[in-house]
Amino acid sequence: MEQATETIHASQAAIRQVLLDALGLPEWNEAFLAVEGPRETNPGTRYALRVRPGFAGELQYTVVEADRVEMVWQVPGFREVSTWTIGADSRVTHTFEQSGPLATVLRPAYRNIATIRLARLANRIRQVQLAHTA
């Protein structure tokens, strides 16, 4: 299991907005090439997913709460359960656990990825906020 925590200077709502924009995930998660499905995100909603280097699979939100978002994504040989916990103090903790034979092979490449994902999430939130003020 990988985990990291970072303070993201944004409201819980702004952080959730970016996390729940399934179609926008490829904008800040470089593993995702494309996400297709409905714009509105609800627990249980399934999305078609393409990841590097071109594997097809599925992404699903399993928990959507004010302070927690959980999603599961999988492609053949790889499954990830990813949790984002959003504190009232804007501290965001990202935890993920991967399984499957492909996950075993890729494990060294995923070291520090939780920290990198948090930095990319913070950057994406800044981009969204700037776009709304422009």
Side-chain angles (χ1 to χ4, degrees):
M1 178 168 60
E2 295 284 331
Q3 179 175 314
T5 301
E6 181 176 322
T7 298
I8 296 179
H9 300 287
S11 67
Q12 281 184 319
I15 295 166
R16 281 186 65 232
Q17 177 184 358
V18 171
L19 288 172
L20 295 177
D21 179 8
L23 305 182
L25 289 172
E27 298 285 332
W28 60 275
N29 186 328
E30 74 173 20
F32 296 162
L33 295 172
V35 177
E36 298 174 358
R39 179 144 310 276
E40 187 174 327
T41 303
N42 294 300
T45 303
R46 298 180 186 277
Y47 295 86
L49 175 68
R50 277 190 311 116
V51 301
R52 295 184 195 283
F55 292 120
E58 181 179 271
L59 177 138
Q60 181 180 24
Y61 286 85
T62 54
V63 176
V64 175
E65 297 173 349
D67 64 346
R68 186 167 157 243
V69 173
E70 183 176 294
M71 58 184 85
V72 175
W73 64 275
Q74 55 194 359
V75 297
F78 183 96
R79 181 175 194 267
E80 178 178 303
V81 177
S82 185
T83 303
W84 304 83
T85 306
I86 310 160
D89 59 356
S90 298
R91 290 179 55 84
V92 180
T93 299
H94 174 45
T95 306
F96 67 88
E97 192 161 358
Q98 299 168 335
S99 59
L102 186 56
T104 301
V105 172
L106 293 175
R107 190 158 286 123
Y110 275 89
R111 284 194 179 91
N112 297 319
I113 288 296
T115 301
I116 292 168
R117 287 180 182 169
L118 283 166
R120 290 183 178 149
L121 172 64
N123 186 53
R124 181 63 182 155
I125 290 166
R126 281 190 294 276
Q127 290 172 344
V128 169
Q129 289 174 334
L130 286 173
H132 287 152
T133 60

